[in-house]
Amino acid sequence: MRIDHIAMYCLDLEGMKEFFVRYFNGVPNDMYHNLNTGLKTYILSFEDSDARLELMTRPEVENEEENIFRQGFIHLSFSVGSEKMVDNLTKVLNDDGYQVLSGPRNTGDGYYESCIVGPEGIQIEITE
């Protein structure tokens, strides 16, 4: 058994897609648009991974302030291949105005990682 994909609603579908394309080399499919419901989606694939990310929006999606320590799904984690790549991508994201929550650092559970706040407040872990 394996995870096929994770889906998330977003307000700015194109902006979110471009974020994952630019920083994580995501490859999107053609946008799906259901004219009856207003649903629009992209499914992004990532190099060396079978798991995909589905980005979705529809007219009913609302922006709710969320506590960073809320219950439920908290972050996406991307393995970039090396400590140097973690350092480099974290610096690029920081320089581009994304908040770095932690790291880069060695964690107590054996990872070298950083954590940033991406578009629409999503947390993204960057690991080696």
Side-chain angles (χ1 to χ4, degrees):
M1 193 172 305
R2 64 182 175 84
I3 294 176
D4 180 73
H5 73 276
I6 303 285
M8 63 183 289
Y9 276 122
C10 53
L11 296 169
D12 179 4
L13 182 64
E14 294 299 324
M16 192 71 76
K17 177 193 76 166
E18 290 307 315
F19 174 81
F20 286 105
V21 167
R22 177 176 182 185
Y23 296 108
F24 297 96
N25 300 320
V27 178
N29 67 346
D30 292 333
M31 183 180 63
Y32 166 74
H33 185 192
N34 182 318
L35 296 174
N36 294 325
T37 65
L39 174 72
K40 296 179 181 179
T41 71
Y42 287 106
I43 297 179
L44 288 89
S45 300
F46 300 91
E47 186 177 339
D48 297 328
S49 177
D50 290 332
R52 297 172 296 156
L53 176 62
E54 182 175 14
L55 303 175
M56 307 182 305
T57 196
R58 60 187 304 150
E60 301 87 354
V61 174
E62 296 180 8
N63 184 15
E64 294 185 16
E65 290 295 319
E66 294 189 10
N67 181 324
I68 200 165
F69 297 108
R70 68 190 175 274
Q71 178 272 336
F73 286 105
I74 298 303
H75 66 259
L76 296 174
S77 182
F78 286 88
S79 174
V80 295
S82 71
E83 289 185 9
K84 183 177 180 181
M85 295 286 288
V86 172
D87 294 344
N88 291 345
L89 184 53
T90 303
K91 180 179 182 337
V92 167
L93 287 158
N94 186 58
D95 290 350
D96 286 352
Y98 293 97
Q99 178 186 3
V100 177
L101 293 176
S102 64
R105 65 191 177 93
N106 288 301
T107 64
D109 55 356
Y111 287 91
Y112 185 79
E113 70 179 33
S114 66
C115 187
I116 64 108
V117 179
E120 300 186 25
I122 62 169
Q123 291 182 56
I124 300 174
E125 229 176 51
I126 305 164
T127 68
E128 61 178 304

